[in-house]
Amino acid sequence: MLEAAIKPDVQAFFDKRTNSVQYVVADPVTRQCAIIDSVLDFDEKSGATATANADRILEFVDANRLKVEWILETHPHADHFSAADYLRTRTGATTAIGSHIVEVQALWKQFYNWPDFPANGSQWDHLFDAGDYFSIGKLTGAVMFSPGHTLASITYVIGDSAFIHDTMFMPDGGTARCDFPGGSAEHLWQSIQSILALPDETRVFVGHDYQPGGREPLWESTVGDQKRHNIHVSQCNSQAGFVAMRQARDKTLPMPRLILPALQVNMNGGRLPEPEANGKRFLKIPLNALGDTKWD
């Protein structure tokens, strides 16, 4: 697909509150970079928002004299708010996500009863299709469509590195859930096979780490590591076996605590709701919208 010998500089930023991993991916020659899957801080207990995670990234960018060219999302996240819009205002960089975001928007606007919400992806500067290429300085990135966890998930392959979001986790963490509206274990299996078809030495960067056994957070492995050691992939030799395992496991999992607040922000490009007449912003939480889901 790409010249794998090209090695971008990758800096990870772990957010312990949401177990999310954010990335700065830089061309070591031109110092151009992309920010992938940024987090806008949100405390559901108080309703407070903050930009500590995003500002930490901006401080790193400034300290290393990088120029932000792209603000990339792999998918509309269900467990944290995106800081894409905040970072766009701070850097002027181009925001982008996969073109299938329009399907997620069409689905979720019904949950929120937003008939006038523009489900056309216009909330981002650019929509990627599968097979698209883009540049970060002299680096070339490629886009793989990786549905299953969501309808719109994509993987970014940049040089020798693949940013695989919520498909697989670190090998001891297995694979991502597929029980959100629009999710599919069959599609996730197929997406994982496409990722595992990359060269074994490809560096793999995950979207979350839930620290199995209480270990320190990790986020980098290789395609070869995932083939040999991923606790779900290595134990499932067929799509049928994987689907049965994944669906049974998903039935035991409660919904992420931020799914309903987060989706209305993230399907809007990371924009918070507009202030109402009193100057305050309000999130809209549909009751009993997700069916008979497991409680904590």
Side-chain angles (χ1 to χ4, degrees):
M1 180 185 291
L2 296 175
E3 177 51 63
I6 301 173
K7 187 171 184 176
D9 291 337
V10 179
Q11 179 66 44
F13 298 83
F14 183 71
D15 174 44
K16 186 172 180 58
R17 180 186 288 267
T18 63
N19 295 98
S20 302
V21 192
Q22 311 154 89
Y23 295 100
V24 174
V25 185
D27 173 9
V29 177
T30 68
R31 312 306 293 162
Q32 299 284 96
C33 73
I35 299 170
I36 300 179
D37 287 342
S38 59
V39 172
L40 182 71
D41 306 284
F42 173 65
D43 177 39
E44 70 275 18
K45 297 182 294 297
S46 66
T49 61
T51 58
N53 267 291
D55 290 337
R56 183 162 55 121
I57 291 173
L58 292 174
E59 289 169 4
F60 174 83
V61 166
D62 290 344
N64 289 275
R65 298 182 180 180
L66 302 176
K67 170 65 176 176
V68 183
E69 193 169 1
W70 292 95
I71 300 163
L72 304 176
E73 298 285 349
T74 57
H75 66 292
H77 308 278
D79 43 23
H80 70 263
F81 289 10
S82 167
D85 189 59
Y86 172 74
L87 290 169
R88 179 187 61 80
T89 63
R90 289 291 305 274
T91 66
T94 300
T95 60
I97 198 169
S99 60
H100 288 270
I101 186 63
V102 299
E103 298 172 34
V104 175
Q105 290 176 320
L107 176 64
W108 279 87
K109 68 183 288 185
Q110 300 174 49
F111 282 90
Y112 296 115
N113 191 31
W114 284 349
D116 298 327
F117 180 84
N120 57 13
S122 60
Q123 298 81 1
W124 288 266
D125 300 317
H126 186 82
L127 301 181
F128 285 120
D129 290 321
D132 280 354
Y133 291 90
F134 62 99
S135 297
I136 305 170
K138 294 184 180 298
L139 292 171
T140 300
V143 177
M144 298 171 60
F145 184 39
S146 304
H149 177 64
T150 77
L151 287 164
S153 300
I154 58 175
T155 292
Y156 296 107
V157 182
I158 303 169
D160 73 339
S161 303
F163 297 85
I164 66 169
H165 58 91
D166 296 10
T167 50
M168 294 176 288
F169 301 127
M170 292 299 292
D172 60 350
T175 58
R177 65 191 300 164
C178 301
D179 59 333
F180 298 159
S184 166
E186 290 88 353
H187 291 162
L188 184 65
W189 167 261
Q190 295 159 15
S191 296
I192 288 171
Q193 300 316 299
S194 295
I195 292 168
L196 295 180
L198 295 170
D200 276 8
E201 63 273 16
T202 304
R203 294 190 291 168
V204 167
F205 294 93
V206 301
H208 292 280
D209 186 56
Y210 297 102
Q211 301 172 260
R215 63 160 171 72
E216 290 298 305
L218 298 171
W219 43 78
E220 179 180 350
S221 62
T222 67
V223 166
D225 292 335
Q226 294 286 354
K227 286 179 179 177
R228 291 186 293 271
H229 304 301
N230 186 287
I231 60 172
H232 295 163
V233 172
S234 63
Q235 294 176 13
C236 298
N237 297 318
S238 68
Q239 176 173 302
F242 176 82
V243 169
M245 178 279 298
R246 189 66 263 170
Q247 291 179 342
R249 179 169 173 76
D250 287 350
K251 289 178 181 178
T252 71
L253 302 175
M255 282 288 160
R257 69 182 189 275
L258 295 185
I259 184 170
L260 293 175
L263 261 297
Q264 64 191 280
V265 170
N266 295 340
M267 74 181 208
N268 198 27
R271 293 171 180 82
L272 296 174
E274 290 297 319
E276 298 191 9
N278 64 354
K280 302 294 184 182
R281 303 175 190 266
F282 295 86
L283 293 166
K284 189 174 185 180
I285 306 298
L287 300 181
N288 301 311
L290 297 178
D292 185 20
T293 58
K294 180 178 173 60
W295 291 29
D296 286 322

